[in-house]
């Protein structure tokens, strides 16, 4: 893999700027290209959906854009680990939809329950039906209940996953605060693919930060269904530096794979029948595309959504576009940044298609910052493009392993700046302002 060092700033901007370039094609389109006012419906107001709604409306103001999202405030998973550490307030993770409404986007706070691709209609839980010319789905992930024996929705109230930000995140924090000093925080980490590959390991870091300052005799045990993980060398280096032997990581090959959960007893069992006892049990279970994707008929046997990666239109159902965690878009990770980048490409493709314009060539970028300690940030960054209709990594890399304290501190600051910038780009809600 290329490192960031190998990539000149100009090359980087050329790549990253590609998504904007796609927009340039649109701006040259005459406004009389289509007389009728097309209907675009977007399901999901998270990183992917809210971005798509905003950029479709921005590129094609005459289009009627409706965003369906049940929550009045969307709480981000990014920075939810910092909330567990006591470094952010819960409210700072929440974003409202006022600014999207101010752009002329209709926002319906409801759950989409039916997609009728033949009639090109979406129905919400109240029974209201909406017709669409183009539909974009960004429903994120759903938990595959019982894929881990014993881990169903009721079990998640005792052993929270906290892999969707909200009450689950608050429950995990309450449990952490109630844990005795000397207790074991046990995390079950899933196989690939799953939402946010570095997320479990940032969570372990942030829990360790909390424990170090509040319950220093405690331990963190990560039982992992994988043999390696994102930014592994950097995480393990940081763990040793800040937390000594507080964090123990057990890979798949050393019996790390959990196959059974007893949430009532806070116990898990591994493949080779070892039972582990936890004081706080955080199970990050296998996942699949949000349920509305299957209801729309766009998922395949894997439970995820195959898409044409030049447009993010479904490979199975025309005029339905899908972005974000729900999609199969490897090598792009399932991240908020990826969802945002994919949504801009899909927005451009939708508008081009509505205006009978050719599809623009897309480029994508993703950066994932993780915090190991308040002044110790690390990152992975990649640029992506299409080669023979296949999404490939064109450049990128991780933070240097020999980065000094100043470098790590700067990356922690860049992480905060990233959060503020992407929040403003998507929701631009007053809650997004970092205190
Ligand atoms: P989501 O953001 O989950 O949005 C989906 C939305 O769709 C939800 O609001 C939901 O209510 C709505 N929805 C679902 N079904 C329906 C329906 N039927 N009708 C109407 N609405 C519906 N990513 C990063 O880039 N950087 C990070 O630092 C980072 N940190 C993370 C830390 C943790 C602990 C976790 C768990 C994840 C992290 N991520 C991070 C990943 C990021 O949260 C996801 O990749 C991102 O949220 C995906 O965006 P999305 O739009 O696909 O889904």
């Amino acid at each position: 893999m290329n490192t960031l060092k190998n990539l000149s700033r100009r090359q980087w901007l050329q790549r990253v700027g590609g998504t904007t370039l796609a927009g340039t094609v649109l701006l040259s389109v005459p406004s009389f290209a289509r007389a009728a006012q097309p209907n675009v419906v977007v399901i999901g107001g998270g990183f992917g959906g809210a971005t798509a709604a905003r950029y479709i409306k921005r590129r094609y103001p005459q289009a009627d854009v409706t965003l369906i999202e049940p929550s009045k405030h969307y709480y981000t998973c990014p920075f939810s680990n910092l909330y567990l550490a006591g470094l952010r307030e819960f409210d700072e993770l929440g974003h409202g939809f006022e600014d999207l409404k101010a752009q002329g986007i209709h926002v319906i706070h409801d759950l989409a329950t039916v997609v009728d691709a033949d009639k090109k209609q979406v129905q919400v839980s109240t029974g209201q039906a909406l017709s669409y010319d183009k539909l974009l789905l960004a429903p994120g992930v759903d938990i595959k209940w019982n894929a881990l024996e014993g881990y169903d929705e009721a079990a998640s109230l005792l052993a929270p996953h906290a892999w969707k930000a909200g009450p689950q995140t608050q429950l995990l924090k309450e449990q952490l605060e109630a844990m005795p000093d000397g207790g074991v925080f046990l995390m079950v980490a899933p196989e690939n693919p799953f939402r946010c590959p570095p997320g479990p390991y940032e969570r372990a870091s942030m829990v360790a930060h909390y424990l170090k300052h509040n319950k220093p005799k405690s331990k963190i045990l990560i039982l992992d269904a994988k043999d390696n993980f994102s930014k592994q060398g950097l995480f393990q280096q940081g763990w040793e530096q800040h937390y000594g032997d507080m964090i123990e990581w057990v890979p798949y090959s050393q019996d790390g794979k959990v196959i059974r959960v007893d949430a009532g007893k806070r116990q898990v069992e591994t493949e080779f029948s070892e039972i582990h006892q936890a004081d706080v049990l955080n199970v990050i279970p296998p996942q699949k595309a949000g349920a509305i994707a299957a209801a729309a008929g766009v998922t395949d046997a894997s439970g995820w959504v195959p898409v044409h990666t030049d447009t993010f239109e479904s490979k199975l159902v025309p005029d339905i576009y899908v972005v974000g965690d729900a999609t199969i878009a490897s090598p792009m990770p399932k991240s908020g940044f990826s969802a945002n980048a994919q949504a801009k490409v899909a927005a451009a493709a939708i508008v081009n298609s509505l205006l009978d314009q050719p599809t623009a060539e897309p480029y994508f970028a993703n950066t994932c910052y993780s915090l190991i300690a308040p002044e110790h940030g690390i990152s992975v960054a990649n640029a992506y493009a299409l080669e023979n209709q296949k999404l490939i990594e064109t450049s990128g890399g991780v933070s240097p392993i020999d980065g000094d304290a100043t470098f790590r501190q700067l990356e922690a600051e860049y992480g905060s700046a990233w959060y503020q910038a992407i929040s403003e780009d998507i929701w631009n809600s007053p809650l997004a302002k970092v205190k």
Side-chain angles (χ1 to χ4, degrees):
M1 189 195 292
N2 295 321
T3 66
L4 281 178
K5 282 184 201 159
N6 295 342
L7 188 71
S8 75
R9 184 174 163 74
R10 207 174 116 259
Q11 284 170 314
W12 176 258
L13 287 173
Q14 277 172 345
R15 293 292 177 196
V16 175
T19 51
T20 318
L21 231 134
T24 316
V25 174
L26 298 169
L27 290 176
S28 63
V29 168
S31 58
F32 51 81
R34 273 281 173 94
Q37 186 182 27
N39 286 322
V40 182
V41 175
V42 175
I43 298 179
F47 280 83
T51 305
R54 182 181 288 281
Y55 277 77
I56 293 165
K57 191 69 186 171
R58 184 180 293 175
R59 300 296 191 204
Y60 195 174
Q62 299 86 346
D64 201 80
V65 180
T66 302
L67 174 64
I68 305 172
E69 162 62 48
S71 309
K72 294 218 164 121
H73 285 111
Y74 170 86
Y75 288 86
T76 63
C77 285
F79 279 51
S80 65
N81 290 329
L82 280 69
Y83 161 71
L84 295 178
L87 300 174
R88 288 279 160 125
E89 297 297 323
F90 189 69
D91 283 350
E92 290 177 274
L93 306 175
H95 305 278
F97 294 89
E98 301 78 9
D99 188 66
L100 286 155
K101 288 180 193 163
Q103 307 309 312
I105 295 162
H106 311 292
V107 180
I108 298 178
H109 288 299
D110 203 339
L111 194 69
T113 48
V114 179
V115 173
D116 186 330
D118 296 329
K119 288 193 190 147
K120 293 185 115 178
Q121 264 190 2
V122 173
Q123 200 174 307
V124 294
S125 74
T126 54
Q128 186 188 351
L130 295 113
S131 298
Y132 66 80
D133 296 293
K134 300 282 183 185
L135 173 64
L136 185 136
L137 304 180
V141 296
D142 268 349
I143 304 298
K144 270 177 142 175
W145 300 118
N146 291 309
L148 265 182
E149 195 184 319
Y151 197 70
D152 57 15
E153 202 161 356
S156 75
L157 300 177
L158 301 168
H161 53 79
W163 222 239
K164 291 186 179 199
Q168 278 278 305
T169 323
Q170 291 171 305
L171 178 62
L172 187 61
K173 186 166 164 72
E174 278 164 31
Q175 292 190 354
L176 183 61
E177 286 172 352
M179 187 177 107
D181 191 8
V184 174
F185 180 99
L186 194 160
M187 178 194 287
V188 178
E191 278 171 51
N192 294 320
F194 66 100
R195 158 174 284 184
C196 194
Y201 315 98
E202 183 191 57
R203 176 170 293 172
S205 311
M206 291 292 91
V207 169
H209 172 75
Y210 169 80
L211 294 175
K212 180 177 169 178
H213 294 280
N214 295 281
K215 294 159 190 185
K217 287 184 264 170
S218 309
K219 287 265 170 212
I220 297 171
L221 178 63
I222 307 171
L223 297 177
D224 209 324
K226 305 179 288 303
D227 267 334
N228 40 57
F229 60 86
S230 172
K231 296 180 262 186
Q232 183 169 347
L234 290 160
F235 272 115
Q236 288 178 323
Q237 180 194 57
W239 290 347
E240 201 184 322
Q241 181 186 336
H242 296 284
Y243 309 118
D245 60 1
M246 182 184 267
I247 302 175
E248 185 186 352
W249 174 67
V250 183
Y252 169 77
S253 54
Q254 288 171 31
D255 198 21
K257 184 173 171 156
V258 167
I259 54 158
R260 202 164 290 119
V261 175
D262 185 334
K265 292 186 180 159
R266 293 210 170 99
Q267 285 180 347
V268 296
E269 185 181 337
T270 61
E271 255 185 328
F272 294 98
S273 306
E274 192 162 346
I275 306 284
H276 293 271
Q277 179 69 49
D279 293 281
V280 173
L281 180 55
N282 174 210
V283 178
I284 305 170
Q287 297 142 40
K288 59 182 180 179
I292 194 69
V298 293
T299 51
D300 69 11
S302 71
W304 303 105
V305 178
V307 287
H308 298 285
T309 41
D310 54 342
T311 58
F312 279 75
E313 187 173 11
S314 158
K315 282 188 174 170
L316 303 178
V317 184
D319 293 325
I320 300 185
Y321 296 69
V322 189
V323 300
D325 286 0
T327 61
I328 301 168
S330 172
M332 289 188 86
K334 296 187 187 299
S335 75
F337 198 143
S338 294
N340 172 261
Q342 294 163 4
K344 289 173 185 173
V345 167
I350 286 172
V351 174
N352 280 339
S353 171
L354 288 169
L355 292 169
D356 294 328
Q357 291 295 310
T359 303
E361 190 186 345
Y363 297 102
F364 308 84
N366 176 67
T367 305
C368 278
Y369 291 97
S370 302
L371 209 58
I372 295 181
E375 297 186 340
H376 187 142
I378 57 172
S379 67
V380 55
N382 284 100
Y384 307 87
L386 288 186
E387 195 176 85
N388 303 324
Q389 292 301 304
K390 227 176 121 19
L391 202 54
I392 56 151
E393 232 171 61
T394 53
S395 57
V398 298
S399 318
I401 195 80
D402 57 356
D404 62 13
T406 309
F407 194 96
R408 303 287 187 236
Q409 184 177 347
L410 279 173
E411 288 227 282
E413 289 170 22
Y414 297 155
S416 288
W418 168 81
Y419 185 80
Q420 175 143 9
I422 200 163
S423 301
E424 287 181 6
D425 182 43
I426 299 174
W427 301 280
N428 196 28
S429 147
L431 282 173
K433 306 293 178 218
V434 176
K435 284 176 196 159

